[in-house]
Amino acid sequence: MAAVTDDVAAQLLSRQTSDDQGTLVTLLYSLRRSLAEEAVYEHLYDDLEAVLGEYADLAPVEVTVIAEWFRTAATNFVEVVPRLVLPYPEDEMRHLIYLSAEHPRPDDALGHLRRFALAILVILDLMGDAAS
């Protein structure tokens, strides 16, 4: 978080603003993209590739670590998806939340992680350009 001095705040508040449609559309797009970036952690796409990719072969410890990262992503999606996706994707989010709450036995962990990854991909797809 950045601190703003009184002088800088006064200068920023005294600037003229634009209310034309093009500027507002650009601003809304930028705000939505910024919000989505807060939900999509830095290496989410790498983790999805590691789970679903052609050469996916994860060790049990990797499955556990990625599952925790996916749970964090699911929590973030619960907070931002209502602001980014209209109408709210109730069924898709419910599925994601259920998968996030599951903690399968080690024998079932990789299959669960793949289902979890697919549910995350569905949400990212619904978020559209804001998530990329």
Side-chain angles (χ1 to χ4, degrees):
M1 184 174 193
V4 177
T5 64
D6 290 339
D7 294 339
V8 172
Q11 181 184 8
L12 290 172
L13 292 173
S14 67
R15 289 185 180 175
Q16 289 188 348
T17 59
S18 175
D19 61 356
D20 66 275
Q21 188 67 21
T23 302
L24 295 175
V25 167
T26 302
L27 178 61
L28 179 60
Y29 174 79
S30 298
L31 289 172
R32 291 171 56 92
R33 188 167 176 97
S34 175
L35 184 61
E37 286 177 5
E38 291 179 19
V40 178
Y41 65 89
E42 183 179 327
H43 48 88
L44 175 61
Y45 291 100
D46 293 335
D47 288 346
L48 290 168
E49 177 67 24
V51 173
L52 299 172
E54 183 177 354
Y55 302 106
D57 184 28
L58 299 171
V61 70
E62 291 174 305
V63 170
T64 303
V65 169
I66 293 174
E68 285 306 312
W69 279 106
F70 283 1
R71 285 186 185 92
T72 300
T75 300
N76 293 340
F77 288 147
V78 166
E79 294 177 17
V80 301
V81 165
R83 294 173 179 90
L84 296 175
V85 181
L86 295 174
Y88 180 75
E90 187 175 329
D91 293 337
E92 293 86 350
M93 287 300 295
R94 182 180 297 119
H95 182 65
L96 181 69
I97 292 166
Y98 287 155
L99 288 170
S100 177
E102 289 181 8
H103 294 273
R105 296 185 326 250
D107 294 347
D108 300 327
L110 185 56
H112 171 264
L113 191 62
R114 288 185 175 136
R115 289 188 300 278
F116 203 175
L118 289 171
I120 289 172
L121 281 176
V122 167
I123 299 302
L124 290 171
D125 188 46
L126 290 170
M127 288 171 59
D129 289 340
S132 50

